[in-house]
Amino acid sequence: QFGDFANGAQVIIDQFIAGSGTKWDRSSGLVMFLPHGYEGQGPEHSSARIERFLSLCADSNMFVATPSTPAQLFHLLRRQVRLSFRRPLVVFTPKSLLRHPSCISSLAELTSGSFRQTIYEGTEAQHCQTLLLCSGKIYYDLAAHLEVSQPEKVGVMRIEQLYPLNCQELTEIAEQLPAHTQLVWLQEEPQNMGAWSYLAPQLESLFKSKFEYVGRKASAAPAVGSHRRHQQEQQELLDKVTAIISRNA
C-alpha cells in the first residue's frame, strides 16, 4: 500500500509493534514494507511518515531502513531472517525505484556481500570540501544532478539504516574530513517530516559540526498535489545543493 495509509494502523504500531519486547515481552520479526518517496503523485502517495517511526525507536527495539538498491534490499531481508534474535523491520521503499534505470544490482552483488548500513562515494574523505548526506530516493536525483555538474571534492553518503544508526562508520568518515568541510543533509520531505529532526542531533554530535539543511520547508501536508509544482520543488533542492558546493569550492 501507499505509505501514508499506515496512518490507520498507527495505534497497532504504537501499541504492539514498537513496544513488543519492552511492553509485552514478545519477540517479533514482522517486516513492514511502506512505499515512500516524493514522486509528484500528491500527499496521500508520498509519505510513510518516517518521522513517526523514528520517534518510536529506542533501546534497539526495531530496525528502520531505506535500501537504495535491489542487492541492499535482498541482503537486508536475508539479515532479518538469519539474525539470532527477532526485531520488527520497517522498510521504506520508493515506488519509482522499481523501474528506475539506475537502480540495479549485478548478480555478484546479490550473491556476495552483506547489507551496508551506510554507503560513501565520491572524492576521498580526506580531500572532501562538501559532504552531502541523504537517504532514500533523493540519492538518484542527486547523483544525476552531480553527474551533469561534475563538481570536484564532493562526497556523498547514503544512510541506508536510519535506526539503529551506525555511529562507527559515520565517525570513521568524520575523522578523515578536513577541518572546514561543509556538511549538508539533503531530504525530499518537509523540514518537520522525514529523518532530519531525529538525525540532526546525532549527526552533529558525531561530526562535531553543524549541518546545513536542504529540503522542503515545514508543511502541514506531506506533499503538494501538483506534479508540476513537485518538479519545481525538487529542482530547487538540487539547485540549492549546487549553490552550496560552489560557495565552498
Side-chain angles (χ1 to χ4, degrees), residues 14-64:
D14 290 356
Q15 186 76 353
F16 296 110
I17 297 174
S20 60
T22 303
K23 292 175 66 176
W24 308 110
D25 195 24
R26 292 290 184 270
S27 296
S28 169
L30 176 71
V31 178
M32 288 181 283
F33 288 96
L34 298 177
H36 177 95
Y38 283 62
E39 294 153 332
Q41 297 189 52
E44 289 297 320
H45 295 176
S46 296
S47 178
R49 298 293 186 179
I50 289 177
E51 65 280 359
R52 289 183 185 170
F53 285 93
L54 291 177
S55 72
L56 297 172
C57 291
D59 300 324
S60 299
N61 62 328
M62 58 184 174
F63 298 104
V64 178

Side-chain angles (χ1 to χ4, degrees), residues 5-209:
F5 294 168
N7 286 342
Q10 196 64 45
V11 172
I12 303 302
I13 293 167
D14 290 356
Q15 186 76 353
F16 296 110
I17 297 174
S20 60
T22 303
K23 292 175 66 176
W24 308 110
D25 195 24
R26 292 290 184 270
S27 296
S28 169
L30 176 71
V31 178
M32 288 181 283
F33 288 96
L34 298 177
H36 177 95
Y38 283 62
E39 294 153 332
Q41 297 189 52
E44 289 297 320
H45 295 176
S46 296
S47 178
R49 298 293 186 179
I50 289 177
E51 65 280 359
R52 289 183 185 170
F53 285 93
L54 291 177
S55 72
L56 297 172
C57 291
D59 300 324
S60 299
N61 62 328
M62 58 184 174
F63 298 104
V64 178
T66 57
S68 60
T69 69
Q72 279 286 90
L73 177 58
F74 170 75
H75 290 300
L76 174 64
L77 297 178
R78 183 174 181 270
R79 184 190 73 173
Q80 179 74 357
V81 174
R82 290 178 57 85
L83 285 172
S84 60
F85 57 90
R86 291 289 170 258
R87 294 289 186 275
L89 168 63
V90 183
V91 186
F92 296 107
T93 55
K95 298 179 289 294
S96 65
L97 295 194
L98 291 170
R99 57 186 181 273
H100 198 290
S102 298
C103 185
I104 57 176
S105 296
S106 66
L107 286 176
E109 290 171 321
L110 289 161
T111 57
S112 62
S114 60
F115 177 68
R116 301 168 63 187
Q117 298 179 35
T118 63
I119 301 175
Y120 180 87
E121 59 187 29
T123 190
E124 294 182 0
Q126 57 266 36
H127 303 303
C128 183
Q129 291 184 347
T130 304
L131 177 62
L132 306 169
L133 273 72
C134 64
S135 187
K137 180 185 74 69
I138 190 68
Y139 162 75
Y140 287 96
D141 295 328
L142 175 63
H145 187 72
L146 295 179
E147 187 175 355
V148 173
S149 57
Q150 295 185 334
E152 296 181 353
K153 299 183 179 180
V154 173
V156 177
M157 177 171 259
R158 282 176 271 175
I159 299 184
E160 302 277 288
Q161 181 170 290
L162 297 170
Y163 186 85
L165 195 63
N166 193 318
C167 296
Q168 180 179 347
E169 292 182 1
L170 291 167
T171 300
E172 288 174 358
I173 293 295
E175 290 176 345
Q176 297 178 57
L177 296 174
H180 301 294
T181 300
Q182 176 68 50
L183 303 173
V184 180
W185 172 261
L186 170 65
Q187 70 174 32
E188 299 180 302
E189 298 86 358
Q191 191 167 4
N192 58 323
M193 303 179 194
W196 169 243
S197 296
Y198 179 83
L199 290 183
Q202 299 180 74
L203 293 176
E204 292 178 351
S205 175
L206 291 171
F207 284 84
K208 297 179 173 57
S209 184

